[in-house]
Amino acid sequence: MSSRDRICNGGLACPLAIRGLRRQSFRRRAEADRLALRTGAFWSTHKLDTRRTVDTPDLRSHPSDNYDARPLQGFGELGYRIELGSLGRIEPLASLAHVQLHTDDIDEHGGLAALRGQSADTDVTFSTLGLRGEHRPAWGGGLLALQGMVGWRHASGDKKPAADLAFAAGRDFSVEGVPLAKDSMLIQTGIEAAPIGPVSLGLSYTGQLSGSAHDHGFTGHLALRF
């Protein structure tokens, strides 16, 4: 989350527009018998426009700015597949991922409420230990796969992102983002249908639970390949 996003979430109206996106990614997978190694990386550049509305009895302005944000992600995962016959398969796994976000300088234009601030980097490393499983029920005729994963995730690094900012007329101040949980439980469940011709579909749930916060998400996808 950039410092601008944290200011917007602080209560000031702040529309955000994405002007362009450039990205590159790669994934690699190597297997030896039941042992699997998966690696990947993702890099992108986001070009963003912001515009805030400041409306007080003594001041009314519309500060605006445009800037770039560049996230970089890399991961590695090692898993060992165990076949359970008609019950399906399970896979104990260990993974390590690093996420870095760089945001450019802040230099808004638009009167006394305009913000300024230096560029910032946020780095977080995630380590995960878990167990993944898959089962193809007989009632699904082999076309449906029930998938699940449970694990423990540890986060280290910049778990509480912060930015030092200042108004055009005023003292410096700090803004902090929502902190990441140091340790949390991961839960993933889903159902995936085998492709029927060019069509495939699925539904999944992902949860991240900790003592300080809960995060839940549902995802459905329908893909048509041609």
Side-chain angles (χ1 to χ4, degrees):
M1 177 182 291
S2 72
S3 53
R4 294 172 179 76
D5 299 327
R6 292 191 288 273
I7 287 294
C8 296
N9 293 336
L12 298 178
C14 189
L16 177 67
I18 301 177
R19 292 188 285 113
L21 171 66
R22 182 179 59 185
R23 61 186 178 185
Q24 294 180 349
S25 64
F26 81 88
R27 289 176 180 268
R28 294 291 184 270
R29 177 189 178 103
E31 293 191 12
D33 194 13
R34 298 183 177 184
L35 191 66
L37 174 64
R38 308 173 184 95
T39 60
F42 178 87
W43 171 87
S44 65
T45 297
H46 301 264
K47 296 185 177 296
L48 309 173
D49 290 331
T50 63
R51 186 172 186 270
R52 296 186 295 117
T53 297
V54 179
D55 191 358
T56 69
D58 300 321
L59 178 64
R60 179 176 177 82
S61 63
H62 300 282
S64 62
D65 191 15
N66 58 76
Y67 65 101
D68 289 353
R70 289 179 287 276
L72 172 65
Q73 305 177 41
F75 77 91
E77 179 183 280
L78 185 65
Y80 184 80
R81 186 179 73 255
I82 302 173
E83 299 290 346
L84 300 177
S86 61
L87 295 179
R89 66 179 64 174
I90 59 174
E91 184 184 54
L93 61 92
S95 69
L96 186 68
H98 183 77
V99 181
Q100 180 187 76
L101 174 64
H102 173 84
T103 53
D104 288 344
D105 293 343
I106 300 171
D107 188 16
E108 288 187 333
H109 303 280
L112 298 178
L115 286 168
R116 67 176 186 274
Q118 296 181 346
S119 61
D121 291 293
T122 302
D123 292 89
V124 183
T125 299
F126 298 98
S127 53
T128 304
L129 294 175
L131 180 68
R132 181 183 293 125
E134 179 179 296
H135 172 64
R136 293 184 177 272
W139 50 263
L143 297 177
L144 297 178
L146 304 179
Q147 302 167 339
M149 184 267 196
V150 61
W152 166 79
R153 171 172 288 176
H154 176 76
S156 60
D158 300 324
K159 297 187 297 294
K160 182 181 289 187
D164 295 324
L165 306 172
F167 289 107
R171 293 184 176 182
D172 293 353
F173 62 94
S174 295
V175 179
E176 293 184 348
V178 177
L180 296 173
K182 180 179 179 181
D183 296 290
S184 59
M185 174 181 288
L186 293 180
I187 301 175
Q188 298 176 355
T189 61
I191 182 170
E192 189 84 15
I196 302 176
V199 179
S200 62
L201 56 89
L203 180 66
S204 63
Y205 159 80
T206 300
Q208 186 166 324
L209 313 176
S210 70
S212 58
H214 292 176
D215 186 16
H216 305 276
F218 291 89
T219 302
H221 74 264
L222 172 64
L224 176 63
R225 295 177 175 83
F226 55 89

PDB file of all heavy atoms in Angstrom, residues 190-208:
ATOM      1  N   GLY A 190     -11.722 -25.566  -2.238  1.00  0.00           N
ATOM      2  CA  GLY A 190     -12.258 -25.256  -3.548  1.00  0.00           C
ATOM      3  C   GLY A 190     -12.740 -26.497  -4.272  1.00  0.00           C
ATOM      4  O   GLY A 190     -12.448 -27.626  -3.885  1.00  0.00           O
ATOM      5  N   ILE A 191     -13.485 -26.258  -5.319  1.00  0.00           N
ATOM      6  CA  ILE A 191     -13.952 -27.320  -6.199  1.00  0.00           C
ATOM      7  C   ILE A 191     -13.647 -26.901  -7.629  1.00  0.00           C
ATOM      8  O   ILE A 191     -13.895 -25.761  -8.020  1.00  0.00           O
ATOM      9  CB  ILE A 191     -15.460 -27.597  -5.998  1.00  0.00           C
ATOM     10  CG1 ILE A 191     -15.901 -28.753  -6.903  1.00  0.00           C
ATOM     11  CG2 ILE A 191     -16.299 -26.340  -6.232  1.00  0.00           C
ATOM     12  CD1 ILE A 191     -17.308 -29.243  -6.578  1.00  0.00           C
ATOM     13  N   GLU A 192     -13.070 -27.816  -8.372  1.00  0.00           N
ATOM     14  CA  GLU A 192     -12.647 -27.530  -9.744  1.00  0.00           C
ATOM     15  C   GLU A 192     -13.242 -28.581 -10.668  1.00  0.00           C
ATOM     16  O   GLU A 192     -13.172 -29.780 -10.390  1.00  0.00           O
ATOM     17  CB  GLU A 192     -11.124 -27.570  -9.843  1.00  0.00           C
ATOM     18  CG  GLU A 192     -10.565 -27.072 -11.153  1.00  0.00           C
ATOM     19  CD  GLU A 192     -10.412 -25.561 -11.173  1.00  0.00           C
ATOM     20  OE1 GLU A 192     -10.463 -24.936 -10.097  1.00  0.00           O
ATOM     21  OE2 GLU A 192     -10.221 -25.009 -12.271  1.00  0.00           O
ATOM     22  N   ALA A 193     -13.836 -28.105 -11.763  1.00  0.00           N
ATOM     23  CA  ALA A 193     -14.406 -29.015 -12.754  1.00  0.00           C
ATOM     24  C   ALA A 193     -13.408 -29.248 -13.874  1.00  0.00           C
ATOM     25  O   ALA A 193     -12.744 -28.311 -14.337  1.00  0.00           O
ATOM     26  CB  ALA A 193     -15.704 -28.435 -13.320  1.00  0.00           C
ATOM     27  N   ALA A 194     -13.279 -30.498 -14.300  1.00  0.00           N
ATOM     28  CA  ALA A 194     -12.390 -30.809 -15.423  1.00  0.00           C
ATOM     29  C   ALA A 194     -12.884 -30.082 -16.668  1.00  0.00           C
ATOM     30  O   ALA A 194     -14.093 -29.920 -16.869  1.00  0.00           O
ATOM     31  CB  ALA A 194     -12.357 -32.314 -15.668  1.00  0.00           C
ATOM     32  N   PRO A 195     -11.972 -29.593 -17.498  1.00  0.00           N
ATOM     33  CA  PRO A 195     -12.388 -28.880 -18.704  1.00  0.00           C
ATOM     34  C   PRO A 195     -13.310 -29.719 -19.582  1.00  0.00           C
ATOM     35  O   PRO A 195     -13.071 -30.909 -19.800  1.00  0.00           O
ATOM     36  CB  PRO A 195     -11.061 -28.586 -19.409  1.00  0.00           C
ATOM     37  CG  PRO A 195     -10.029 -28.626 -18.325  1.00  0.00           C
ATOM     38  CD  PRO A 195     -10.512 -29.666 -17.370  1.00  0.00           C
ATOM     39  N   ILE A 196     -14.368 -29.096 -20.036  1.00  0.00           N
ATOM     40  CA  ILE A 196     -15.287 -29.713 -20.989  1.00  0.00           C
ATOM     41  C   ILE A 196     -15.149 -28.942 -22.298  1.00  0.00           C
ATOM     42  O   ILE A 196     -15.682 -27.832 -22.439  1.00  0.00           O
ATOM     43  CB  ILE A 196     -16.736 -29.678 -20.481  1.00  0.00           C
ATOM     44  CG1 ILE A 196     -16.844 -30.391 -19.127  1.00  0.00           C
ATOM     45  CG2 ILE A 196     -17.673 -30.320 -21.493  1.00  0.00           C
ATOM     46  CD1 ILE A 196     -18.218 -30.309 -18.508  1.00  0.00           C
ATOM     47  N   GLY A 197     -14.389 -29.510 -23.207  1.00  0.00           N
ATOM     48  CA  GLY A 197     -14.078 -28.770 -24.429  1.00  0.00           C
ATOM     49  C   GLY A 197     -13.257 -27.541 -24.069  1.00  0.00           C
ATOM     50  O   GLY A 197     -12.266 -27.624 -23.326  1.00  0.00           O
ATOM     51  N   PRO A 198     -13.656 -26.362 -24.506  1.00  0.00           N
ATOM     52  CA  PRO A 198     -12.890 -25.150 -24.204  1.00  0.00           C
ATOM     53  C   PRO A 198     -13.311 -24.478 -22.905  1.00  0.00           C
ATOM     54  O   PRO A 198     -12.792 -23.419 -22.564  1.00  0.00           O
ATOM     55  CB  PRO A 198     -13.214 -24.254 -25.398  1.00  0.00           C
ATOM     56  CG  PRO A 198     -14.614 -24.637 -25.761  1.00  0.00           C
ATOM     57  CD  PRO A 198     -14.722 -26.124 -25.490  1.00  0.00           C
ATOM     58  N   VAL A 199     -14.246 -25.065 -22.150  1.00  0.00           N
ATOM     59  CA  VAL A 199     -14.807 -24.414 -20.966  1.00  0.00           C
ATOM     60  C   VAL A 199     -14.292 -25.089 -19.688  1.00  0.00           C
ATOM     61  O   VAL A 199     -14.271 -26.308 -19.586  1.00  0.00           O
ATOM     62  CB  VAL A 199     -16.350 -24.454 -20.980  1.00  0.00           C
ATOM     63  CG1 VAL A 199     -16.917 -23.784 -19.734  1.00  0.00           C
ATOM     64  CG2 VAL A 199     -16.880 -23.791 -22.247  1.00  0.00           C
ATOM     65  N   SER A 200     -13.888 -24.267 -18.711  1.00  0.00           N
ATOM     66  CA  SER A 200     -13.518 -24.764 -17.388  1.00  0.00           C
ATOM     67  C   SER A 200     -14.056 -23.791 -16.345  1.00  0.00           C
ATOM     68  O   SER A 200     -14.204 -22.597 -16.604  1.00  0.00           O
ATOM     69  CB  SER A 200     -11.997 -24.897 -17.249  1.00  0.00           C
ATOM     70  OG  SER A 200     -11.373 -23.628 -17.394  1.00  0.00           O
ATOM     71  N   LEU A 201     -14.366 -24.325 -15.157  1.00  0.00           N
ATOM     72  CA  LEU A 201     -14.901 -23.464 -14.103  1.00  0.00           C
ATOM     73  C   LEU A 201     -14.509 -24.006 -12.742  1.00  0.00           C
ATOM     74  O   LEU A 201     -14.152 -25.171 -12.585  1.00  0.00           O
ATOM     75  CB  LEU A 201     -16.425 -23.335 -14.220  1.00  0.00           C
ATOM     76  CG  LEU A 201     -17.256 -24.619 -14.221  1.00  0.00           C
ATOM     77  CD1 LEU A 201     -17.634 -25.024 -12.815  1.00  0.00           C
ATOM     78  CD2 LEU A 201     -18.525 -24.417 -15.061  1.00  0.00           C
ATOM     79  N   GLY A 202     -14.580 -23.117 -11.736  1.00  0.00           N
ATOM     80  CA  GLY A 202     -14.222 -23.510 -10.384  1.00  0.00           C
ATOM     81  C   GLY A 202     -14.678 -22.475  -9.377  1.00  0.00           C
ATOM     82  O   GLY A 202     -15.031 -21.337  -9.731  1.00  0.00           O
ATOM     83  N   LEU A 203     -14.670 -22.877  -8.109  1.00  0.00           N
ATOM     84  CA  LEU A 203     -15.068 -22.002  -7.011  1.00  0.00           C
ATOM     85  C   LEU A 203     -14.147 -22.297  -5.833  1.00  0.00           C
ATOM     86  O   LEU A 203     -13.876 -23.461  -5.522  1.00  0.00           O
ATOM     87  CB  LEU A 203     -16.527 -22.251  -6.624  1.00  0.00           C
ATOM     88  CG  LEU A 203     -17.104 -21.409  -5.475  1.00  0.00           C
ATOM     89  CD1 LEU A 203     -17.181 -19.950  -5.881  1.00  0.00           C
ATOM     90  CD2 LEU A 203     -18.476 -21.931  -5.075  1.00  0.00           C
ATOM     91  N   SER A 204     -13.653 -21.242  -5.168  1.00  0.00           N
ATOM     92  CA  SER A 204     -12.708 -21.461  -4.076  1.00  0.00           C
ATOM     93  C   SER A 204     -12.899 -20.436  -2.966  1.00  0.00           C
ATOM     94  O   SER A 204     -13.456 -19.350  -3.182  1.00  0.00           O
ATOM     95  CB  SER A 204     -11.264 -21.393  -4.591  1.00  0.00           C
ATOM     96  OG  SER A 204     -10.968 -20.101  -5.101  1.00  0.00           O
ATOM     97  N   TYR A 205     -12.425 -20.803  -1.785  1.00  0.00           N
ATOM     98  CA  TYR A 205     -12.428 -19.924  -0.613  1.00  0.00           C
ATOM     99  C   TYR A 205     -11.012 -19.880  -0.049  1.00  0.00           C
ATOM    100  O   TYR A 205     -10.318 -20.895   0.030  1.00  0.00           O
ATOM    101  CB  TYR A 205     -13.386 -20.437   0.460  1.00  0.00           C
ATOM    102  CG  TYR A 205     -13.088 -19.895   1.841  1.00  0.00           C
ATOM    103  CD1 TYR A 205     -13.499 -18.625   2.218  1.00  0.00           C
ATOM    104  CD2 TYR A 205     -12.358 -20.660   2.763  1.00  0.00           C
ATOM    105  CE1 TYR A 205     -13.206 -18.122   3.476  1.00  0.00           C
ATOM    106  CE2 TYR A 205     -12.062 -20.165   4.028  1.00  0.00           C
ATOM    107  CZ  TYR A 205     -12.485 -18.896   4.380  1.00  0.00           C
ATOM    108  OH  TYR A 205     -12.182 -18.402   5.614  1.00  0.00           O
ATOM    109  N   THR A 206     -10.575 -18.686   0.362  1.00  0.00           N
ATOM    110  CA  THR A 206      -9.278 -18.512   1.002  1.00  0.00           C
ATOM    111  C   THR A 206      -9.464 -17.698   2.277  1.00  0.00           C
ATOM    112  O   THR A 206     -10.095 -16.628   2.243  1.00  0.00           O
ATOM    113  CB  THR A 206      -8.284 -17.793   0.073  1.00  0.00           C
ATOM    114  OG1 THR A 206      -8.108 -18.562  -1.114  1.00  0.00           O
ATOM    115  CG2 THR A 206      -6.933 -17.631   0.760  1.00  0.00           C
ATOM    116  N   GLY A 207      -8.933 -18.197   3.381  1.00  0.00           N
ATOM    117  CA  GLY A 207      -9.013 -17.485   4.648  1.00  0.00           C
ATOM    118  C   GLY A 207      -7.657 -17.381   5.305  1.00  0.00           C
ATOM    119  O   GLY A 207      -6.824 -18.287   5.190  1.00  0.00           O
ATOM    120  N   GLN A 208      -7.417 -16.247   5.942  1.00  0.00           N
ATOM    121  CA  GLN A 208      -6.186 -16.042   6.700  1.00  0.00           C
ATOM    122  C   GLN A 208      -6.598 -15.542   8.080  1.00  0.00           C
ATOM    123  O   GLN A 208      -7.184 -14.457   8.212  1.00  0.00           O
ATOM    124  CB  GLN A 208      -5.279 -15.023   6.000  1.00  0.00           C
ATOM    125  CG  GLN A 208      -3.923 -14.887   6.662  1.00  0.00           C
ATOM    126  CD  GLN A 208      -2.926 -14.145   5.787  1.00  0.00           C
ATOM    127  OE1 GLN A 208      -2.921 -14.278   4.572  1.00  0.00           O
ATOM    128  NE2 GLN A 208      -2.073 -13.360   6.420  1.00  0.00           N
TER     129      GLN A 208
END
